[in-house]
């Protein structure tokens, strides 16, 4: 039996309009074309769908059965069409995201909340497993968007700068280097240094460690700690010094025996990028939320603003 979608639309429209003339107008067909399609359907079913009563048409018993199926099928198709339109317009779907920094996840919920307030039907999934290797996950298709510091040279990946931060040295308040206004890489000589853990197989040596090696600076010790809170508490206890971005250390400056001093401007500033391999409305909408969030929250603090926060710390 060869029944097409237009046959279901045909019976549904004729039933609602009552006559071939009105149904033809509703379907944007000539009355002749509509009559031809109805006869085609009845030949295929080998039974009358409508009883003719002058210009009016009345559904036969099998016609009523066909109409019930038509209503279900047309309703499902309309729902499907609406779903497709919403998906193409970025109103529905899913978004897999990750960051190249565990500490950054403390502000990510704020971005997601802003995004979900506008597009509540998008399922945002944070892929924390991709934190150490976001670009690899992106290339495999396991990520839609990665927020990264480093860039892989690959024509398939598009990078868009979204915010900047500045690196600061975090020290105990009584540390000799706390008297300096600006810290240089050479000041790490013979210091007990605490830096974030990283994966050397990823070929992404952090900036500070690269500079230490290039300038032949030898810290007294170099400890690697995975978590920011643990690093801050180590510094607070006088067990070493560390390097962190301004927006990371910002919440820790008050009520601890720690101070922050900027690194020299030639090495302090870093740019973060949104990395993507594909382009669709969902990704573009999330990018817009990212940019707006960073603009409103001033992720990269100006020196005068940072000085104000320093006044709040308890020494």
């Amino acid at each position: 039996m060869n029944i097409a979608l237009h046959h279901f639309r045909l019976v549904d429209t004729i039933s609602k309009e009552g006559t071939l003339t009105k149904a033809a107008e509703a379907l944007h067909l000539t009355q002749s074309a509509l009559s031809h399609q109805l006869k085609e359907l009845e030949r295929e079913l080998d039974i009358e769908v409508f009883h003719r009563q002058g210009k009016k048409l009345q559904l036969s018993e099998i016609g009523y059965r066909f109409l019930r199926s038509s209503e279900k099928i047309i309703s499902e198709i309309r729902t499907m069409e609406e779903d497709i339109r919403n998906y193409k317009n970025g109103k529905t779907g899913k978004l897999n995201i990750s960051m190249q920094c565990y500490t950054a996840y403390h502000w990510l919920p704020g971005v997601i909340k802003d995004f979900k307030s506008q597009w509540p039907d998008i399922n945002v999934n944070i892929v924390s497993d991709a934190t150490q290797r976001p670009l690899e996950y992106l290339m495999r298709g396991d990520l839609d968007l990665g927020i990264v510091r480093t860039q892989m040279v690959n024509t398939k990946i598009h990078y868009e700068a979204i915010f900047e931060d500045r690196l600061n040295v975090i020290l105990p308040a009584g540390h000799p280097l706390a008297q300096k206004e600006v810290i240089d890489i050479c000041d790490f000589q013979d210091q007990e240094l605490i830096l974030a853990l990283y994966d050397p197989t990823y070929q992404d040596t952090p900036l500070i460690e690269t500079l230490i090696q290039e300038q032949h600076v030898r810290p007294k010790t170099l400890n690697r700690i995975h978590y920011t809170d643990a690093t801050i508490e180590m510094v607070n206890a006088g067990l070493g010094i560390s390097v962190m971005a301004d927006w990371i250390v910002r919440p820790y400056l008050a009520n601890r025996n720690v101070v922050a001093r900027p690194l020299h401007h030639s090495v302090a500033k870093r740019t973060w990028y949104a990395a993507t391999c594909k382009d669709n409305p969902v990704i573009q909408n999330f990018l817009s939320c990212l940019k707006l969030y960073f603009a409103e929250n001033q992720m990269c603090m100006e020196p005068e603003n940072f000085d104000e926060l320093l006044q709040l710390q308890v020494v």
Side-chain angles (χ1 to χ4, degrees):
M1 194 176 296
N2 185 20
I3 301 174
L5 177 60
H6 68 270
H7 290 137
F8 291 106
R9 295 189 188 277
L10 175 78
V11 172
D12 181 71
T13 305
I14 294 175
S15 174
K16 289 177 180 176
E17 299 296 335
T19 66
L20 288 178
T21 302
K22 292 181 179 180
E25 291 177 358
L27 292 171
H28 305 290
L29 295 172
T30 64
Q31 187 171 336
S32 173
L34 190 66
S35 297
H36 174 75
Q37 290 184 11
L38 180 56
K39 290 177 181 178
E40 178 185 67
L41 173 62
E42 291 180 327
R43 280 198 305 271
E44 189 66 35
L45 296 176
D46 194 25
I47 196 169
E48 275 193 340
V49 177
F50 288 96
H51 297 309
R52 279 73 170 172
Q53 296 180 343
K55 291 184 178 181
K56 290 189 177 182
L57 300 176
Q58 185 176 359
L59 284 165
S60 65
E61 183 178 348
I62 197 65
Y64 277 111
R65 174 66 184 86
F66 196 91
L67 177 63
R68 289 196 299 272
S69 295
S70 298
E71 290 171 340
K72 292 178 183 178
I73 292 170
I74 292 171
S75 175
E76 183 62 27
I77 289 174
R78 285 172 180 164
T79 300
M80 180 190 68
E81 290 173 341
E82 180 68 17
D83 289 344
I84 292 173
R85 280 194 297 271
N86 288 336
Y87 180 81
K88 291 170 68 176
N89 293 331
K91 294 181 180 180
T92 60
K94 66 177 182 178
L95 184 71
N96 293 327
I97 61 177
S98 190
M99 289 207 54
Q100 197 179 359
C101 177
Y102 283 106
T103 308
Y105 286 117
H106 80 272
W107 53 255
L108 194 55
V111 180
I112 295 174
K113 183 178 180 180
D114 291 345
F115 178 77
K116 294 283 284 185
S117 69
Q118 300 179 67
W119 295 280
D121 295 324
I122 301 295
N123 180 27
V124 181
N125 179 36
I126 299 176
V127 187
S128 57
D129 291 346
T131 300
Q132 293 295 327
R133 297 171 176 267
L135 295 177
E136 291 184 9
Y137 277 68
L138 191 69
M139 290 293 294
R140 291 205 306 261
D142 297 329
L143 272 188
D144 297 306
L145 183 147
I147 301 173
V148 300
R149 296 186 310 271
T150 55
Q151 299 184 51
M152 177 191 297
V153 180
N154 191 303
T155 56
K156 294 182 179 179
I157 303 178
H158 173 72
Y159 298 95
E160 187 164 350
I162 50 175
F163 76 95
E164 292 180 336
D165 63 12
R166 292 188 178 93
L167 293 174
N168 291 266
V169 179
I170 315 305
L171 315 105
H175 195 283
L177 290 178
Q179 304 305 313
K180 297 190 65 174
E181 293 184 0
V182 177
I183 306 296
D184 294 302
I185 297 298
C186 62
D187 291 325
F188 293 143
Q189 182 72 30
D190 297 324
Q191 297 294 327
E192 294 179 318
L193 193 56
I194 304 170
L195 295 178
L197 193 67
Y198 82 100
D199 184 358
T201 65
Y202 192 48
Q203 299 177 346
D204 176 30
T205 305
L207 174 63
I208 296 302
E209 300 192 39
T210 300
L211 294 172
I212 287 174
Q213 295 169 10
E214 290 177 352
Q215 298 184 29
H216 306 291
V217 174
R218 294 188 177 183
K220 182 178 180 180
T221 60
L222 175 54
N223 295 314
R224 303 187 189 279
I225 297 181
H226 190 63
Y227 298 105
T228 302
D229 287 1
T231 300
I232 292 292
E233 293 308 325
M234 292 282 284
V235 174
N236 188 63
L239 299 176
I241 65 176
S242 186
V243 178
M244 294 182 185
D246 45 12
W247 57 270
I248 293 177
V249 74
R250 188 185 308 176
Y252 298 100
L253 288 178
N255 303 319
R256 283 185 176 82
N257 189 39
V258 297
V259 296
R261 296 291 180 263
L263 271 168
H264 192 273
H265 65 83
S266 62
V267 299
K269 187 176 288 188
R270 303 182 304 179
T271 301
W272 288 76
Y273 302 89
T276 57
C277 281
K278 52 189 176 183
D279 186 21
N280 59 48
V282 174
I283 292 175
Q284 289 303 317
N285 291 339
F286 191 80
L287 267 174
S288 297
C289 281
L290 275 175
K291 294 175 183 177
L292 182 61
Y293 180 89
F294 294 137
E296 291 178 344
N297 290 275
Q298 297 180 337
M299 298 299 287
C300 186
M301 299 175 65
E302 297 301 324
E304 57 270 20
N305 296 332
F306 200 75
D307 290 340
E308 290 177 9
L309 271 176
L310 292 178
Q311 302 301 318
L312 301 175
Q313 63 195 21
V314 178
V315 179

